[in-house]
Amino acid sequence: TSFTEYISDTYDHLKPRVAETYESISTRAAGTYNTINTKLFARKDSCPPVWTSIAAELKTMYWDPATKQCNDDARAAIREAFHDCGAWQKSNGLVGGCDGSLILSVGNDELLRGENNADLIQFSGNIAVVTCPGGPQIKTYIGRRDSSVPAPPGLLPDVHAPAADLYKLFQDKGFDAKELAALLGAHSTSKTFHVPEIPVGAQQDTTPGLWDVKYYQDTLTPPQGVFVLPSDKALAAHPEVGKEFKGFVGGQGKWTGDFAKA
Ligand code: HEM
């Protein structure tokens, strides 16, 4: 993955308000460092730690104290973060991506669920992941500019598409087979409400409130009460993606690391 792809969602409009962004970019972006550096400035000490308070509030929202697991709002936030970014492909260049356009896309194939800021959508997804027991910490880059137009349709994955088409769709977004297999593991926390052949509210692994690798084994051999998405079934059997998919069975540490990287 090139540097441009790596931060494709922020590159065009780096308005970093957070010193962390500066540090990460300066260490990772050897080639492009000089050009970008001129646009950056460190966060002032006088800035209030807004993201820390937002994180605390979100963690409360995503946590179910009764079960000590993450809840439906957490699942929704994880999916939203994917959908806001997911309507992007390499050929779109430095336009679109994680730009908050999710909230503009009524009637489009992104979802409308109520948040209102590109950074907040990504931050919420990452907080939801770490709130689910077992979930890794994922660094959130800050400084996206909200889009004023919806993302183009047709760039999010169709649950009934053949595996080869889904793999191509993700390759066009810059992901390889291992990264796609790692990302699919988010279905460890998922429930299904809108897939006609699956009962409403059905789960995709035995532990939808935990961020664990049960999903991989449960997709390959579904136990009673687990309903596999047709796309997951197809990708698990795809020669390249399936090989990586099987590689995550029983590998909690490997998966969480690879998910966070992807
Ligand atoms: C081939 C790619 C993918 C397809 C076809 C797909 C499809 C779906 C479908 C059909 C649902 C159920 C929605 C419903 O009926 O309400 C779902 C749920 C979900 N997906 Fe995916 N997905 C894909 C990749 C991803 C990725 C990459 C992520 C995140 C990194 C993700 C996160 C989630 C989450 C968290 C849910 C649960 C949402 C909830 O319970 O409210 N999915 N996905």
Side-chain angles (χ1 to χ4, degrees), residues 75 79 82 113 157 159 186-187 190-195 231:
R75 315 177 214 298
R79 192 172 193 222
F82 166 51
R113 300 247 202 174
V159 70
H187 290 160
S190 92
K191 291 186 182 172
T192 303
F193 298 88
H194 304 103
V195 178
S231 50

Side-chain angles (χ1 to χ4, degrees), residues 54-65 71 73 127 131:
I54 295 173
E57 201 168 316
L58 290 174
K59 278 185 186 166
T60 314
M61 281 170 58
Y62 297 152
W63 181 249
D64 178 358
N71 61 20
D73 288 341
I127 294 292
T131 305

